[in-house]
Amino acid sequence: MILDCFFYIFFFIFALSLLSFFYPHNYTVNKNTANITFPIYIFALLSICLMAGIRYGIGTDYFSYKTIHSLLGKTSFHDYFIHHFIENDFDYSFEIGYYFLNRIFFFDYHVMLIFIEILILFFVYKGIKILNTSQEYILATFIYLTSQFLYSMNGIRFAIAISIIFAGFKHIINKKPFYFSIYILLACCFHKTALVCLCFYFLKPIKNRKISKLRDIFLFIFIISFFFFMGPMMEILKNIPFFNKYFIAYVFRNQNTFSIMILFHIIPVILPILLLGKNCFKNEEFNVLFRIYLLELPFRIAGLINTLITRMVRYPQMVEILLIPIFLTNIKNKRIKSITIVYYVGWYIFEFIYYAIINDALGSLPYATFIHEF
């Protein structure tokens, strides 16, 4: 198991090494020097895309999605429309975007998986383009690979949706509700739960300091009191037809106790920021991302009741990909900055090993290719 885990890490290091080769050290990225292009980015990460695409039995939903591919790949749009929108057939309940992916790649499941990984990385790339240097790009990619990549081989539709929402974060920062709504709509074509991300837009920059401060106070009260009203709120959502499918398909727990493991995911990431990131909070871009990240706590608390909400934690969690590089860039003391970089690299490697080996809830080990099918 340990060797299998290091198999993934080897590919991560190989891909990041290629990335650093193509992107000069500390190269400044802007509109006038945009030679950090998506094709180069994908070429550097091609080994990752292939590894995800040729896998066999990797991910707890692998065989379920393969069965879905066999069904949707040969289903005409007319039949899909009838089963999905009119008859509400559970076997055809998959969103329209995912239907078209299966229909286009009907001829081979693994080709579709490779394309999906490229699609996810495209939106991740779009999201990290708000960063300024190649060093930040590489660190952001490292955080994605160690914290989210394994999940992209498990909850395929959801992984596409969270990458799309991640790409849309820049429109919250730039206060462009129309464009952010388009990203929400596109994400909903792969997973309807993306609709809840509409609330993220209210965490945008506000010029009026009093209103901004009032909003932040309300956010803080909401987060610390969420545990007490999450039960009734889940019951309401359970009875809304749009979300009802998810409450049927996922375990609905009767959990009324706070789990300390919730803090295990958040404190190691946020503590250095609170101790060393005073200058960061003068940056409105950082503040927006930090507000979104704080929503990870109520999402994790809600996950105590419903296992689907545990997955939805990844919507605000994706902010880490941007938050950490921006935070590290703002540390002026070189020695402290180096120590903090080593700390975060160590933390994300530990988190990766924990989920790959100790927890293994994503069924990522041992790795196998489609050759094992024969």
Side-chain angles (χ1 to χ4, degrees):
M1 292 287 276
I2 294 174
L3 288 175
D4 279 301
C5 188
F6 279 102
F7 170 80
Y8 283 110
I9 293 172
F10 168 79
F11 271 93
F12 294 166
I13 293 170
F14 175 73
L16 292 169
S17 298
L18 272 180
L19 208 57
S20 63
F21 175 78
F22 287 113
Y23 299 174
H25 179 69
N26 221 27
Y27 181 84
T28 301
V29 183
N30 56 50
K31 289 180 181 178
N32 299 320
T33 58
N35 70 342
I36 297 186
T37 60
F38 177 65
I40 294 175
Y41 189 82
I42 281 299
F43 179 78
L45 272 64
L46 193 59
S47 60
I48 303 295
C49 298
L50 290 173
M51 184 169 64
I54 65 172
R55 70 185 187 269
Y56 175 75
I58 303 299
T60 54
D61 293 341
Y62 176 88
F63 293 107
S64 299
Y65 275 116
K66 192 170 184 184
T67 303
I68 293 162
H69 176 262
S70 300
L71 175 67
L72 297 183
K74 60 185 179 184
T75 302
S76 68
F77 181 71
H78 175 267
D79 289 344
Y80 167 79
F81 186 90
I82 297 295
H83 286 294
H84 182 84
F85 293 102
I86 298 174
E87 295 181 357
N88 225 6
D89 190 334
F90 188 82
D91 289 336
Y92 293 85
S93 60
F94 305 97
E95 290 82 356
I96 193 167
Y98 192 68
Y99 161 74
F100 278 118
L101 277 181
N102 283 270
R103 194 77 178 110
I104 292 166
F105 295 98
F106 70 93
F107 54 90
D108 192 272
Y109 181 54
H110 294 285
V111 173
M112 185 181 80
L113 292 180
I114 292 171
F115 178 80
I116 285 173
E117 198 60 42
I118 292 173
L119 185 66
I120 290 170
L121 285 172
F122 169 73
F123 286 111
V124 170
Y125 170 79
K126 292 276 285 182
I128 66 174
K129 280 181 77 176
I130 71 167
L131 300 175
N132 296 317
T133 68
S134 57
Q135 197 175 49
E136 290 175 326
Y137 270 54
I138 293 163
L139 182 57
T141 305
F142 168 77
I143 294 171
Y144 166 75
L145 291 175
T146 49
S147 63
Q148 304 294 333
F149 172 71
L150 288 185
Y151 188 77
S152 73
M153 297 195 294
N154 185 44
I156 298 173
R157 293 179 301 127
F158 195 73
I160 299 171
I162 62 174
S163 67
I164 294 170
I165 295 298
F166 174 71
F169 284 155
K170 64 182 176 184
H171 297 304
I172 301 176
I173 294 167
N174 296 328
K175 296 190 283 188
K176 294 182 178 179
F178 176 74
Y179 290 111
F180 184 62
S181 299
I182 290 174
Y183 276 84
I184 293 277
L185 230 96
L186 184 59
C188 283
C189 289
F190 294 95
H191 214 279
K192 293 173 186 174
T193 57
L195 195 64
V196 302
C197 297
L198 276 172
C199 68
F200 291 177
Y201 189 76
F202 296 101
L203 305 178
K204 66 181 181 179
I206 298 175
K207 284 185 178 180
N208 188 306
R209 287 187 180 182
K210 288 184 179 179
I211 295 175
S212 182
K213 192 173 183 180
L214 193 65
R215 185 268 314 277
D216 292 343
I217 291 170
F218 176 79
L219 177 66
F220 179 73
I221 293 170
F222 170 78
I223 289 169
I224 62 172
S225 62
F226 184 79
F227 179 78
F228 300 101
F229 61 81
M230 65 172 177
M233 190 177 79
M234 291 298 111
E235 285 295 333
I236 293 169
L237 289 173
K238 188 180 176 183
N239 293 300
I240 296 174
F242 188 80
F243 293 109
N244 182 256
K245 166 200 161 183
Y246 298 112
F247 283 90
I248 292 171
Y250 292 86
V251 178
F252 194 77
R253 303 163 177 162
N254 290 314
Q255 178 75 38
N256 294 311
T257 56
F258 186 85
S259 172
I260 199 69
M261 284 301 290
I262 288 173
L263 300 178
F264 166 78
H265 294 91
I266 297 171
I267 288 178
V269 174
I270 209 171
L271 191 60
I273 295 173
L274 296 176
L275 294 174
L276 304 169
K278 186 178 179 180
N279 291 332
C280 293
F281 292 102
K282 296 174 184 176
N283 181 338
E284 195 53 57
E285 181 182 87
F286 183 87
N287 286 334
V288 172
L289 296 171
F290 189 76
R291 289 184 200 111
I292 296 170
Y293 179 71
L294 289 178
L295 289 179
E296 184 176 337
L297 182 57
F299 271 100
R300 286 200 180 277
I301 293 171
L304 296 172
I305 289 183
N306 184 269
T307 53
L308 169 69
I309 314 295
T310 306
R311 290 187 170 198
M312 290 170 65
V313 162
R314 293 182 183 273
Y315 284 125
Q317 188 187 38
M318 286 286 282
V319 168
E320 291 178 19
I321 297 169
L322 300 172
L323 202 66
I324 304 306
I326 294 173
F327 160 60
L328 290 169
T329 299
N330 279 274
I331 298 176
K332 304 303 178 187
N333 186 304
K334 289 184 179 180
R335 185 169 176 272
I336 293 174
K337 183 176 182 177
S338 298
I339 293 169
T340 312
I341 289 172
V342 170
Y343 165 79
Y344 275 117
V345 168
W347 164 251
Y348 283 108
I349 289 175
F350 165 76
E351 189 179 44
F352 175 81
I353 291 171
Y354 173 80
Y355 279 105
I357 298 178
I358 302 169
N359 183 281
D360 197 27
L362 302 178
S364 55
L365 297 177
Y367 180 80
T369 68
F370 65 84
I371 296 170
H372 290 78
E373 272 185 276
F374 308 104

